[in-house]
Each structure stands twice: as C-alpha cells, then as structure tokens.
Amino acid sequence: MAATASLKSSLLLPSPISDFSGAAVSVSAQKWRSWQPGGARVQVSAAADSKNILVMGGTRFIGVFLSRLLVKEGHQVTLFTRGKAPITQQLPGESDAEYAEFSSKIQHLKGDRMDFEFVKTSLAAKGYDVVYDINGREAVEVEPIIDALPNLEQYIYCSSAGVYLKSDLLPHCEADAVDPKSRHKGKLETESLLTARGVNWTSIRPVYIYGPLNYNPVEEWFFHRLKAGRPIPIPGAGNQITQLGHVKDLATAFNLVLGNPKASQQIFNISGAKYVTFDGLARACAKAGGFPEPELVHYNPKDFDFGKKKAFPFRDQHFFASIEKATRELGWTPEFDLVEGLTDSYNLDFGRGTFRKAADFTTDDMILGKKLATV
C-alpha cells in the first residue's frame, strides 16, 4: 500500500488514520456482568421462538460466550464435545447465581465428531433445529451432521478470513477471491458442501479473535513480554496493518444470524471496527495491562532460521477485512474498541495469572542477540 510508510506512528486505523495516546485504561472485571450484546434480540421467555440448538464444540473459547447468549435467549442448548474438558466453568466476573442458572440449563452430548456413525445416529435421535459448528475444519466432518438432520432449519458455520486470496486491494470483502490452497481450504469446501446440499447456512469469517480464554497466543504473546519487562520483537518496520475482533462481539454476531432471513446462505466478515499496526498493537497491549511504553525491536525475518518455532503470532503482511456487510444487514456493531477489549481480556484472564501457553522467549533471544552483536 502506497500510504504504508506514513503509518509507522499510527496505531488504530479506521478509514482515516487516527492516533492513539493517553493514560492507561482500567476496565472493571464487572464488565462481564454488564455485557449485553449490542443489537441482540430481546430475550425469549416463551417456548414459541425457542430452538433446539446443537453447538459443535463450546467449552474452550467462542462457544463459551456463545452458549451463554443462546441460553439467556431461552434456547435449549447442547454442547457436542469429547468430554475431555469440563462442560461448564464459571467465568471471572460471573456471579454464582448466573453461573448456576447457566450450568443447570446446558446439556451435553459426548462423542467424537470423526465417529461418523455415532454422529448420524445420536443427532438423528435428537432432531436438532439449528447447528452451530464452531470447530469444524473439513467438509467430511460436516456431511454426517447434514445426513442426520434432514429437517435442519439452519447451519451456522465458523469459517475464517484466512480463506481470502492475498491481495493488494484491501480490506477483504465477502465477495473477494478465495485461495484454494489456503490452510483453511477445508472451510471453503464446507461452504460449498452446504450450498450443494441445499442447506440454509450462514458462514462467519472472523479475522484475528482475542479476548478472555483465548487459546491462540494473540494478546497473550504480548502480555508475556510486557510482564517480563522484555523488548518486543516485531518483524519488518512494524507498520503492517491487521485487525482484531473481541470474542464477545463475535458471539453477538453469531447470535444475530440465528433465524435471520438476511443471513440465509450468506457470508459475513466479523472483526473490530478499526485496523491496527503491529507496533500499535504492542502499545495497545501495554496500555491495556497498565505497563510502561514498550521497547520495540524490529528485525528482518529472513535473517533468521527459527526452525518450527513461530517468532510472531501474526502473518507478516497487511491483513484486514470489511465488516460493513454485517453492520448493514445484521445491525451488528462491535461493542469493544481495541484497547477496551484488550483491557477486558487482561483483567479477566492474563492479569489474574491465567494463560494457555507458558512464555517462550527462545526466538526473542535469537533476535535480540543478533541485534546486540551488531551494535
């Protein structure tokens, strides 16, 4: 992008460039209690609009927040998992009463989705109205579900913005060309299967997802380095533009497509309202956690052989998508701006001493060691 060179000091980018400055932000852990999905429909109190919903997955990240919304709206919700993790867990900021009400209403179907015969027989016996497929990766995993539920009203699928073909023209829009060689090609094949089978489907394509319980090292990667007081290695000039969306905003979008005629056989990009540079993201994470301004160290990835280790949690390129279709058709608007969302994640997760992966500074030390050697 021609304007990229002028963005080095910029952090958050809507259509025009906007600067980022100010004191550390504090968002109370009570944010969880007050979280009401923007644009969500009124809670269902009668059984008339209640659906019998199956969530494939649901105990790790996206499904944890989505299942709560669905239960609050009066739906009967079943989580299909292998049973290796607790079916429910009380979230930070969630009251005992709220958790007790949720856990008393959630149901569980234990099984392996790769056991296709079990999937067919067990789902056929239940006759679910709607399926939310949060963890599907390949079309072959989806076909048995469709076979088992001939009267399925809607199949709502979690795809990925990673399916788009790399382009000089950004942001990515839903009609853009896709990459048949993408590592997410299985998701593309799933969308094609759903269309070919005549299913009423909706596909959600998130960009990078962040928030409490994130099992991918997105914000956690930065928080580990900030807590340790270490410099943050960032590839290139640090002005690569990317985009993050909060998991609670994603859950709201998933909720809004349920039974929505405007979502029938449609794809929606879902992420944050603004874009951010790599350097800007590092500073935003520091602000969210109340850390000092971080030292940023830029490096050329081609100068290093990291083996199988990943030195940085984002793809080294501009990568962001338009959410205009979702805001226009669904009435969906992200509740969290980036710093507020990162603060929510920090306060409800990393700041409490919980994280998914331990800190590993091996590649950092390689980068910093070479930098020191050249000084």
Side-chain angles (χ1 to χ4, degrees):
M1 297 175 67
T4 299
S6 67
L7 301 179
K8 187 171 182 179
S9 63
S10 174
L11 304 187
L12 300 180
L13 307 173
S15 293
I17 299 172
S18 61
D19 292 329
F20 173 87
S21 60
V25 174
S26 176
V27 175
S28 169
Q30 297 302 313
K31 180 72 174 177
W32 163 256
R33 287 187 195 172
S34 63
W35 174 52
Q36 296 295 331
R41 293 164 288 121
V42 177
Q43 178 172 331
V44 177
S45 57
D49 295 326
S50 178
K51 299 296 183 183
N52 185 10
I53 297 176
L54 176 68
V55 179
M56 302 299 292
T59 59
R60 296 182 70 190
F61 186 34
I62 301 171
V64 171
F65 297 97
L66 172 60
S67 59
R68 279 166 168 77
L69 289 187
L70 296 174
V71 167
K72 284 180 180 179
E73 288 216 339
H75 301 295
Q76 180 179 323
V77 180
T78 300
L79 306 183
F80 184 106
T81 79
R82 290 175 293 177
K84 294 185 176 182
I87 305 310
T88 64
Q89 58 179 310
Q90 188 168 2
L91 301 179
E94 186 178 34
S95 70
D96 292 343
E98 289 170 329
Y99 174 65
E101 182 178 5
F102 168 73
S103 58
S104 68
K105 294 179 178 178
I106 205 77
Q107 299 183 40
H108 181 233
L109 179 58
K110 182 179 178 180
D112 186 339
R113 70 178 297 163
M114 299 305 293
D115 184 345
F116 299 151
E117 286 305 313
F118 173 80
V119 169
K120 288 180 182 179
T121 55
S122 59
L123 269 59
K126 299 290 184 178
Y128 296 102
D129 301 319
V130 177
V131 171
Y132 276 96
D133 193 347
I134 304 301
N135 60 11
R137 293 182 179 275
E138 304 293 338
V140 68
E141 303 169 356
V142 175
E143 196 154 20
I145 301 174
I146 301 173
D147 291 339
L149 301 170
N151 298 317
L152 186 68
E153 296 177 17
Q154 190 176 12
Y155 198 102
I156 303 172
Y157 186 62
C158 186
S159 184
S160 169
V163 301
Y164 292 116
L165 187 67
K166 187 175 180 180
S167 173
D168 293 328
L169 300 176
L170 295 169
H172 288 296
C173 297
E174 288 85 351
D176 283 0
V178 293
D179 183 1
K181 297 181 180 179
S182 161
R183 70 184 184 92
H184 300 290
K185 66 179 182 179
K187 293 186 178 290
L188 289 174
E189 293 166 353
T190 298
E191 292 172 353
S192 297
L193 170 68
L194 293 169
T195 301
R197 293 290 300 270
V199 176
N200 177 30
W201 59 272
T202 304
S203 183
I204 301 295
R205 291 179 178 174
V207 188
Y208 288 111
I209 312 168
Y210 73 107
L213 305 182
N214 193 359
Y215 54 81
N216 286 317
V218 177
E219 68 270 41
E220 179 183 287
W221 186 91
F222 292 93
F223 289 152
H224 271 309
R225 284 149 183 80
L226 291 164
K227 183 179 179 181
R230 295 176 63 96
I232 299 181
I234 296 180
N239 54 13
Q240 303 92 316
I241 303 168
T242 193
Q243 184 182 24
L244 288 80
H246 197 285
V247 64
K248 295 175 187 175
D249 286 329
L250 177 59
T252 300
F254 269 116
N255 185 45
L256 285 173
V257 302
L258 175 61
N260 191 333
K262 293 183 177 180
S264 179
Q265 298 193 2
Q266 295 295 313
I267 296 168
F268 296 97
N269 295 330
I270 297 294
S271 195
K274 293 187 177 182
Y275 315 136
V276 64
T277 62
F278 287 172
D279 282 3
L281 178 55
R283 296 189 185 108
C285 286
K287 189 177 184 70
F291 296 102
E293 180 84 3
E295 178 187 353
L296 307 181
V297 176
H298 298 106
Y299 65 95
N300 184 351
K302 295 181 180 180
D303 292 341
F304 300 90
D305 179 6
F306 297 121
K308 294 184 179 181
K309 287 187 175 292
K310 195 172 182 179
F312 193 70
F314 296 84
R315 54 179 70 187
D316 186 10
Q317 66 181 67
H318 298 306
F319 180 53
F320 50 100
S322 169
I323 59 171
E324 192 273 335
K325 180 180 177 181
T327 59
R328 182 187 68 246
E329 300 295 331
L330 304 176
W332 170 82
T333 302
E335 176 186 356
F336 291 89
D337 67 29
L338 182 60
V339 176
E340 184 183 20
L342 288 169
T343 303
D344 178 75
S345 179
Y346 185 84
N347 286 348
L348 297 181
D349 199 352
F350 194 91
R352 292 172 176 250
T354 55
F355 47 84
R356 313 293 89 73
K357 295 182 179 179
D360 182 354
F361 303 129
T362 305
T363 58
D364 298 45
D365 291 339
M366 293 171 64
I367 295 165
L368 297 175
K370 184 164 186 175
K371 287 286 183 179
L372 289 173
T374 58
V375 173

